[in-house]
Amino acid sequence: MTITEGDVTTTHGGLPFPPILKSHILTCSFHSWYPKYRTYVPKCRLIPLSSAFVDYLQSDGIVLPPEEYDGQSNGQLNEDSVFNSNDDDDSDEEEFDPSVHWPDIHKQVASCISELSGAVAPKLNWSAPKDATWISATNNMQCNSPNEIYLLLKSSNFITHDLEHAFDGCDNDPVSDSNRLTIKDIPYHLVLRKWIQINPSVEFRCFVRRRKLIGICQRDLNHYDFLEPMMNILRDLIQEFFDLRLKTSFTDENFAFDVYIPASHKRVWLMDINPWAPRTDPLLFSWLELLEMQDPPSRKGSDVDGEDLGVVRLSLHTPNARTSHTELESQQHDESDESDDDVEDELWQPEFRLIRNSDPEAYNFNTPQYSAHKLPRDVVEASQSGPGQQRELLEQWQEVLARMEKEDVKHDDSEEDSD
């Protein structure tokens, strides 16, 4: 159900947002909009997730299914695992396979990877684990096996947000029953997109308010010389895509969407749709700018949402017809008004922001992207190796702390002696 917010606003972090409803968050979930727009989205597969798999993603530590099990969930080893077992005689702990609780999903993941040419990029309903690529051997989101997918998902704070905080900051809906929705009611899906080497320079985030495209900007915060001469071409492509594919068909009137325009720059791919909410990064804009930006002009003959009503104007004349001077002036005046409106509408364009050569971001002096989400590799490796390795790391850390405390005590004693 679509709610037209009009002038109703709520305060989120001091910003005058329209009400952010749980229904809007769900509308922007990949599984909700993908069936309608799949023609314009890179090839992918969706796997509905069971509560057991969601519990696995939320569980502490990183325990992955044994590779030698090869997706078998009945506890039987395949031939390779029998002859290549590396069991240690001094190991008291039996290797645990978490996929025994979600064998069908484990098989579907392996099958989808195979169907999508052996390499995929994963994401959940809203977020991709981009903050966890530091743990990947390729330093990106390319995954060639189920375990690589699980490792990225379990290492990502973005994924944790999807699983635990999807409805944070939502307002009460006075019309529908969406207030009763909880995290447990969300139909979580694993999205596996066929891996393609994306050129980040031609990824753009677009902002839609009241079904009008008001802003476009780069997603990658680096300067690219070739973008500025192409601004008009890229803006026209995105505007046309929005007008034809999203403007009237998307459920909500306020949202953001991400597009990719690869080489040849003739086709627009829809990559994601994001909530009109503070959780969506405005990148080169600020949310205050987007919320207070002047509305684009509305063309005559359009409804309140900007949808053309299909009105056709015909001018009928017969050879012997006479037109009075007053009628002719009135007709010319109306045509002049319509012409002015058309010119104003054609002149108005959504604001397009790029990183300029003189911008501080262009020199990459800022901290590495997602650096706040990174963990030391030895911590991650210990969590993968089971309780024994975790215990050893904890003991080593406690020894380091004890040694530091002793050194501090000695330092304090020496200072007292000198006094």
Side-chain angles (χ1 to χ4, degrees):
M1 182 173 184
T2 305
I3 296 178
T4 303
E5 293 88 353
D7 295 327
V8 177
T9 60
T10 57
T11 301
H12 291 267
L15 297 172
F17 274 90
I20 300 171
L21 308 179
K22 293 179 180 178
S23 57
H24 173 58
I25 301 300
L26 285 178
T27 298
C28 295
S29 172
F30 194 96
H31 82 281
S32 295
W33 57 262
Y34 173 72
K36 184 184 294 186
Y37 304 115
R38 63 184 306 166
T39 307
Y40 321 113
V41 179
K43 191 174 182 180
C44 62
R45 297 285 186 271
L46 274 67
I47 301 174
L49 300 181
S50 64
S51 58
F53 187 83
V54 172
D55 290 342
Y56 165 71
L57 293 181
Q58 292 179 295
S59 63
D60 293 335
I62 302 177
V63 181
L64 303 175
E67 295 283 356
E68 61 266 25
Y69 283 8
D70 197 24
Q72 298 183 31
S73 60
N74 56 7
Q76 296 178 355
L77 302 179
N78 58 29
E79 185 179 22
D80 290 338
S81 65
V82 172
F83 292 101
N84 295 309
S85 176
N86 57 353
D87 293 339
D88 295 329
D89 295 335
D90 56 351
S91 176
D92 296 331
E93 297 169 4
E94 184 177 347
E95 196 166 15
F96 172 66
D97 180 6
S99 67
V100 296
H101 300 295
W102 28 273
D104 292 339
I105 291 176
H106 195 44
K107 290 178 181 177
Q108 286 183 68
V109 171
S111 176
C112 288
I113 293 174
S114 178
E115 291 174 12
L116 297 172
S117 304
V120 298
K123 69 171 289 178
L124 286 196
N125 298 43
W126 298 278
S127 304
K130 292 184 177 181
D131 59 319
T133 54
W134 56 273
I135 201 173
S136 167
T138 56
N139 203 32
N140 56 33
M141 289 205 302
Q142 179 180 352
C143 296
N144 304 96
S145 71
N147 276 1
E148 291 178 359
I149 294 172
Y150 308 149
L151 179 61
L152 278 179
L153 296 179
K154 285 186 67 65
S155 302
S156 170
N157 286 342
F158 294 171
I159 298 302
T160 299
H161 184 277
D162 277 13
L163 297 174
E164 299 179 1
H165 305 286
F167 290 148
D168 283 9
C170 287
D171 301 299
N172 289 328
D173 189 341
V175 179
S176 74
D177 294 330
S178 68
N179 297 331
R180 301 178 183 177
L181 292 172
T182 66
I183 289 288
K184 294 183 179 179
D185 298 318
I186 296 175
Y188 282 105
H189 286 69
L190 174 61
V191 181
L192 300 179
R193 190 197 72 215
K194 181 178 179 180
W195 175 256
I196 53 176
Q197 192 65 49
I198 288 181
N199 180 357
S201 66
V202 283
E203 285 187 288
F204 303 97
R205 176 155 292 177
C206 313
F207 299 91
V208 178
R209 194 186 65 200
R210 301 190 187 105
R211 298 201 182 279
K212 301 211 172 88
L213 180 61
I214 62 171
I216 305 167
C217 70
Q218 287 178 239
R219 290 200 64 196
D220 183 55
L221 303 183
N222 287 290
H223 171 69
Y224 297 97
D225 289 329
F226 73 93
L227 284 180
E228 192 166 352
M230 294 182 60
M231 281 185 69
N232 290 334
I233 295 173
L234 295 170
R235 177 165 29 209
D236 290 346
L237 280 170
I238 294 172
Q239 182 72 64
E240 182 182 28
F241 177 83
F242 169 71
D243 289 341
L244 294 177
R245 311 302 181 197
L246 291 172
K247 183 174 183 178
T248 59
S249 63
F250 190 67
T251 306
D252 294 338
E253 64 177 12
N254 302 318
F255 59 97
F257 65 97
D258 297 333
V259 295
Y260 177 56
I261 308 178
S264 79
H265 309 297
K266 294 180 179 179
R267 175 165 186 176
V268 177
W269 289 96
L270 179 62
M271 304 301 287
D272 208 355
I273 296 180
N274 310 289
W276 186 264
R279 69 185 64 186
T280 298
D281 191 344
L283 297 171
L284 298 183
F285 293 91
S286 72
W287 270 117
L288 187 60
E289 285 180 291
L290 294 167
L291 292 166
E292 296 185 345
M293 194 176 289
Q294 186 176 0
D295 281 337
S298 296
R299 186 189 296 269
K300 286 187 177 181
S302 299
D303 66 6
V304 293
D305 286 331
E307 182 179 1
D308 291 338
L309 296 177
V311 177
V312 179
R313 296 179 177 84
L314 298 177
S315 179
L316 302 177
H317 296 277
T318 60
N320 298 323
R322 292 184 178 180
T323 304
S324 69
H325 180 71
T326 304
E327 289 174 341
L328 183 59
E329 282 186 343
S330 176
Q331 180 180 346
Q332 290 174 341
H333 180 71
D334 290 342
E335 289 177 353
S336 175
D337 286 347
E338 288 183 13
S339 176
D340 290 343
D341 289 337
D342 290 344
V343 169
E344 183 182 11
D345 192 56
E346 288 175 4
L347 290 177
W348 189 92
Q349 293 178 318
E351 185 165 352
F352 196 167
R353 293 188 180 178
L354 301 174
I355 296 288
R356 308 291 181 178
N357 194 34
S358 58
D359 293 338
E361 293 89 345
Y363 297 97
N364 265 330
F365 290 150
N366 53 338
T367 56
Q369 196 173 28
Y370 312 127
S371 60
H373 305 279
K374 296 183 179 181
L375 291 172
R377 181 172 291 275
D378 54 353
V379 174
V380 177
E381 290 175 349
S383 66
Q384 294 173 341
S385 302
Q389 186 67 26
Q390 294 173 19
R391 191 183 310 113
E392 181 181 346
L393 179 64
L394 178 60
E395 291 172 353
Q396 292 175 355
W397 179 243
Q398 288 174 339
E399 290 176 1
V400 170
L401 290 177
R403 187 164 58 250
M404 291 174 64
E405 288 178 2
K406 289 181 180 180
E407 291 176 355
D408 288 342
V409 170
K410 290 180 180 179
H411 180 70
D412 293 340
D413 289 343
S414 63
E415 285 188 345
E416 290 178 2
D417 293 341
S418 63
D419 293 339

